[in-house]
Amino acid sequence: MELPDFMKYSDRFTRSDFVEKISRIAKRAGAKLVYVALILYYTLQSDKVSVKDKAIIIGALGYLISPLDVVPDAIPIVGLGDDLAVLVYVLQKVWGDVNEEVKQKAKEKLSKWFDEDEMNEIGDIFTSDPS
């Protein structure tokens, strides 16, 4: 799968649109997508992240929010696959900036929307550990 130029979506990112979209699609998207999105969202708020990394995070989160995806979100099952691919790609790029506090904060928020079985779904974010 070829990833789109998600940086063109950076102007679509706002904190309020992100929270609204995540809460609306949480159950349909699955815990893994929401967890990755929350990690990026909380990493974006860190003052230890470079401007360059913040820019690519904003682009990826803007792509998630945007209704103009390569594969429209309305298509069952595969509709959010491109979103997850973009988010995981960017998370791999910024993984060195993700600390345990960010991961814990994301898990705490996730636990408000998902039950224990669904939380187990997040498992290993990457097919191979980036660290």
Side-chain angles (χ1 to χ4, degrees):
M1 169 188 241
E2 187 175 324
L3 294 176
D5 176 15
F6 52 85
M7 289 308 297
K8 69 182 181 182
Y9 296 94
S10 62
D11 63 329
R12 297 206 180 252
F13 174 77
T14 66
R15 291 176 194 267
S16 61
D17 285 348
F18 171 78
V19 171
E20 189 273 327
K21 173 89 176 210
I22 283 295
S23 62
R24 191 179 70 230
I25 68 166
K27 288 290 186 182
R28 187 168 54 99
K32 186 175 252 183
L33 183 142
V34 175
Y35 181 56
V36 172
L38 287 170
I39 288 174
L40 289 173
Y41 178 73
Y42 292 131
T43 299
L44 179 64
Q45 296 173 14
S46 171
D47 59 353
K48 295 177 179 134
V49 178
S50 71
V51 173
K52 177 186 169 217
D53 285 349
K54 285 186 178 194
I56 64 170
I57 291 171
I58 288 170
L61 295 177
Y63 183 80
L64 173 67
I65 293 167
S66 176
L68 305 173
D69 287 359
V70 171
V71 181
D73 294 346
I75 298 174
I77 303 170
V78 297
L80 294 168
D82 62 321
D83 296 294
L84 181 59
V86 166
L87 295 177
V88 169
Y89 174 79
V90 170
L91 184 58
Q92 286 178 319
K93 293 284 188 198
V94 302
W95 189 247
D97 293 325
V98 178
N99 61 39
E100 289 304 315
E101 182 181 329
V102 164
K103 294 176 200 174
Q104 188 58 39
K105 198 171 181 181
K107 283 182 182 176
E108 287 171 8
K109 186 68 162 178
L110 199 67
S111 70
K112 293 178 181 179
W113 294 329
F114 296 93
D115 63 30
E116 191 174 329
D117 288 338
E118 293 166 319
M119 290 288 291
N120 291 334
E121 184 184 312
I122 64 174
D124 208 10
I125 298 170
F126 307 102
T127 53
S128 60
D129 191 1
S131 44

